[in-house]
Each structure stands twice: as C-alpha cells, then as structure tokens.
Amino acid sequence: MPPLQDFDRDGFAVRKGFLTADETADLERAVREAQVAVPESSSLDRVGLVFKHNLFRRSKRLQDFVSSKKVVHLLREFAGPDFWIRWDQSIEKVPGGAPFPWHQDNGYSGLRDPHYQLWIALTSMTRENGGLWLQRGSHLSGVRGHGTQGPHVVTPADERDAVFVDAEPGDALVFSSFLLHKTDANSTASKRLAYVIEYMSMDHFDPYIDGPYFVAARGGEPAPEFVRYFRGRLSPATQLKYLRPRLERGARALRHGCAKLLGR
Ligand SMILES: O=C(O)CCC(=O)C(=O)O
C-alpha cells in the first residue's frame, strides 16, 4: 500500500490482489444475490450501465464484508478510525455500454465533505471494457462546479493528465470523492463489473440519505451496527452547512409537484 502521503498527494491508492480468488468469488456471489431484489433503477440502464444501489442494506453477507477486519483496516488509513457507509452499488457495464464522463462523486451527491470510495474489481477492468480513468491530484482543489450532459453530471478535465487504473478481479482502489474520474465505453464482448462502497467519517453526514445509518468501524476496528444518530448527524455545523441546499431542493420539489398538478 502506498504511504498515506501518496494518497494525500494523488487522491487514490491501488491495492493489487486485495482479495484472494476465493474471497472475490464469495463477494461476487453475495453481490449477485443482493442484486436480485433491486430493480434497475437508473436511466443509465438504457445506455448499458447497470447500477444497483444499497445492496448492503439487504444483505447480511455484504454487511459482514463491508465491515470486515480486512476492509476496515484498509479504510481507516484514509477515513480515520470511525466511519459509516453512505452508499454502495454494483456497476455493470455491458458490451457496448456508454462512457461515464469526468466528474467528482460530490458533483452527484451535492455533499461538501469527502467520502472514500472503495472500488473492487469483480472482472478485469481494461481500457477497452470501460475501466477507470483518474486525474491524479485533482482532489486537492475541493468541490468543483458541475454541469449536466444528458443523464450525467460533468465537469471539464484535461484528457492529457488522465491516469488509467488496470485492474484484475480482487484488486481494490480507494479514492477520494473529490477526485475526478471517468470511464470510457465498453467496446469488448464481455461485461465489466465492479462493487463500490462509499465510506464517510463519522464526523461528516449526508443529509440526503435516510437512516438508519450503517456504522462500519469505531476506533479503527469493525463495529457493524445500524444507528439513527451519530456525531456527524447531530452536529449543528453539519445541519447549518446543508440548510440552504436542502431548502433549495425542497423548493424545487414543490415547484415540480405544483407544475405536475397543474399539468404543465
Ligand atoms: O463504472 C462506471 O462506469 C462509472 C461509475 C462512476 O464513475 C461512479 O459511480 O462514480
């Protein structure tokens, strides 16, 4: 594992062979099992990108994995000793699946604080099948402005600075949610599958996620537990930070509801 200074500088860290072949096969089985209950839930399905969210909420096996000692000991290097899971998803890019343009995860989440994305390859990830490209160090400039492009939230990036991460099944990548990343189209005849878990320090909160919240670690050790409250949620600073965006979202939803009612 590269030292923490490298992660601070680059915004990501790769861990080749993080899972053994057996662990990878077990994880893929658990992901496939949990996927069954989740409807394909995004307009991106139509362009060959199949996202299935919140799998861990339905699967004890995934809860055990995402809060296992191996995973917690990796994540505590980045997220600190106490962290919870805001989100997980499997991402399958089928043959012909479309590109997913440059963005920061915060462009989608609307959050001001970082989370740490643990990206585990369940198939190989190549340039041809739509593997992951990153902009080294791009996390250092904080949250950027994003626009929209079809179903995507996007921000400009210089292609010349892009770094490709080759991965084999069982390889893991941890990256900051502030890091710019993208994937290209899948031009092969095989699917590309990754399982992604988003870890957030318990000092930080996501006001757009409904509880209960799954705590993965306390004091740097596994402490799996669903809770209603934790310090980031209770913090007045967090509530204030998101007061305005939440009011704006509420107003947008109200306007949208009224327009629908009035048939506009
Ligand atoms: O897997 C992909 O093609 C892109 C997904 C992605 O960048 C994300 O979920 O943030």
Side-chain angles (χ1 to χ4, degrees), residues 49 51 89 91 93 98 100 103 105 108 117 119 130 132 175 181-184 192 196 198:
L49 278 163
F51 285 76
Q89 57 191 1
I91 314 176
K93 193 178 280 221
F100 197 106
H103 66 284
D105 287 338
Y108 282 90
Q117 177 155 167
W119 177 290
L132 200 61
F175 63 95
H181 57 286
K182 71 156 190 177
T183 62
D184 287 340
R192 188 226 71 193
V196 172
E198 297 182 355

Side-chain angles (χ1 to χ4, degrees), residues 215-246:
V215 173
R218 290 182 197 270
E221 294 301 329
E225 178 191 19
F226 278 101
V227 298
R228 290 251 153 230
Y229 299 98
F230 58 92
R231 61 177 184 270
R233 176 162 193 211
L234 294 169
S235 141
T238 305
Q239 300 302 332
L240 273 177
K241 202 182 302 185
Y242 291 108
L243 189 60
R244 188 160 162 203
R246 288 180 81 180

